[in-house]
Amino acid sequence: MDNPSRIIEGGVEYSLGKFDGKCVHYNFPKILIYLNAKGKILFGNKFKIYEKDKKVLLKLCYYFIKDKENCKRYGIDPHKGILLSGPVGCGKTSLMKLIPCIVPSQPAYEMIPSRNVTFSFNHIGYKAIEDYGDSKSFCFDDLGVEPAGRFYGKDCNVLGEVLLSRYELYLKTKRKIKTHATTNLNAEELEERYGNRVRSRMRELFNLIAFEKNTKDKRK
């Protein structure tokens, strides 16, 4: 019988907790050991988990392992997606690629740079909004700093339209198909970028998990 509390990476077995035959009782320090090792595999030997980021990591882990009690404690709705916000270079993209690795049995989402969605719209028009607004789970990276959309002389707030479509999909699938995103912008800046209607839908689509404003740029 498979033991979902154990993961093998590079010939090394990592324990994430204890499996009682029905469910995994996760151990956060053990999860951190695995994530640190997996991060080095994915992003290189310079990758490390910072003490200051552990609260963000903890919330993300509770969300992805579907720990209902701790999700409730931190005000996280497991049916919604994640909007991970924080300063440039704080590690948002890396974490959204890394954390789902602790639950390999769960359906994966595709990481898409938000600018690529706009580039696609500028090339093929409104079909791009249909493509990204339907059926698959996505994580839109760097939401809010993508260039303007323009197709045959007509301007379009592309990601705003995609998010409205994702909201309709979220309702239609009874909240089963989720949308995730990372952003450098705060709530006011997102509203300025996409408008009040989209911002309102974002509240229903996303759990906001935020790094501290003074989190340093790890790429420097």
Side-chain angles (χ1 to χ4, degrees):
M1 185 183 191
D2 288 340
N3 185 340
S5 71
R6 299 187 180 279
I7 297 178
I8 295 174
E9 292 287 352
V12 179
E13 184 176 89
Y14 295 90
S15 169
L16 306 183
K18 290 184 179 177
F19 181 53
D20 65 8
K22 291 182 179 178
C23 65
V24 178
H25 301 274
Y26 286 95
N27 178 300
F28 188 58
K30 288 183 177 181
I31 289 176
L32 288 182
I33 291 169
Y34 167 69
L35 290 176
N36 206 47
K38 182 66 172 178
K40 284 177 169 36
I41 291 169
L42 291 177
F43 311 118
N45 285 328
K46 288 186 177 179
F47 177 85
K48 64 177 281 192
I49 286 171
Y50 292 81
E51 186 68 33
K52 201 173 184 182
D53 299 340
K54 283 186 180 176
K55 191 171 182 181
V56 168
L57 271 163
L58 189 64
K59 290 178 182 178
L60 289 171
C61 286
Y62 286 149
Y63 173 83
F64 281 104
I65 66 176
K66 298 180 178 175
D67 184 328
K68 291 180 182 177
E69 190 177 312
N70 279 305
C71 279
K72 187 176 181 181
R73 179 180 162 203
Y74 285 101
I76 297 167
D77 183 342
H79 296 291
K80 295 181 181 182
I82 294 290
L83 176 62
L84 186 59
S85 76
V88 172
C90 68
K92 301 180 296 294
T93 305
S94 298
L95 288 190
M96 289 305 285
K97 289 178 180 176
L98 178 62
I99 302 288
C101 296
I102 64 177
V103 280
S105 60
Q106 286 188 24
Y109 50 78
E110 189 177 348
M111 292 285 294
I112 301 285
S114 293
R115 65 179 183 278
N116 287 13
V117 181
T118 300
F119 294 155
S120 180
F121 175 84
N122 293 349
H123 181 60
I124 64 171
Y126 288 89
K127 185 179 183 304
I129 293 172
E130 291 175 25
D131 290 345
Y132 289 109
D134 199 15
S135 72
K136 288 175 71 176
S137 288
F138 291 109
C139 179
F140 298 109
D141 198 24
D142 271 342
L143 185 70
V145 295
E146 70 277 357
R150 193 172 180 83
F151 187 68
Y152 279 104
K154 190 171 183 182
D155 293 331
C156 178
N157 192 331
V158 180
L159 264 296
E161 292 299 324
V162 167
L163 290 172
L164 290 174
S165 296
R166 299 292 303 179
Y167 175 72
E168 295 300 324
L169 179 69
Y170 176 68
L171 296 181
K172 190 168 70 178
T173 62
K174 294 184 169 63
R175 308 197 292 176
K176 284 178 183 169
I177 295 183
K178 297 172 184 172
T179 305
H180 307 289
T182 71
T183 186
N184 304 330
L185 306 186
N186 61 32
E188 292 74 25
E189 290 167 329
L190 285 167
E191 185 162 331
E192 189 178 322
R193 181 76 171 80
Y194 297 115
N196 179 260
R197 182 171 172 233
V198 174
R199 177 70 188 122
S200 173
R201 298 293 185 267
M202 287 175 75
R203 289 189 189 97
E204 296 180 62
L205 269 179
F206 297 123
N207 294 287
L208 176 61
I209 296 179
F211 281 87
E212 293 181 16
K213 290 178 183 176
N214 62 350
T215 303
K216 71 174 188 175
D217 187 340
K218 299 176 179 71
R219 294 181 294 202
K220 288 182 177 178

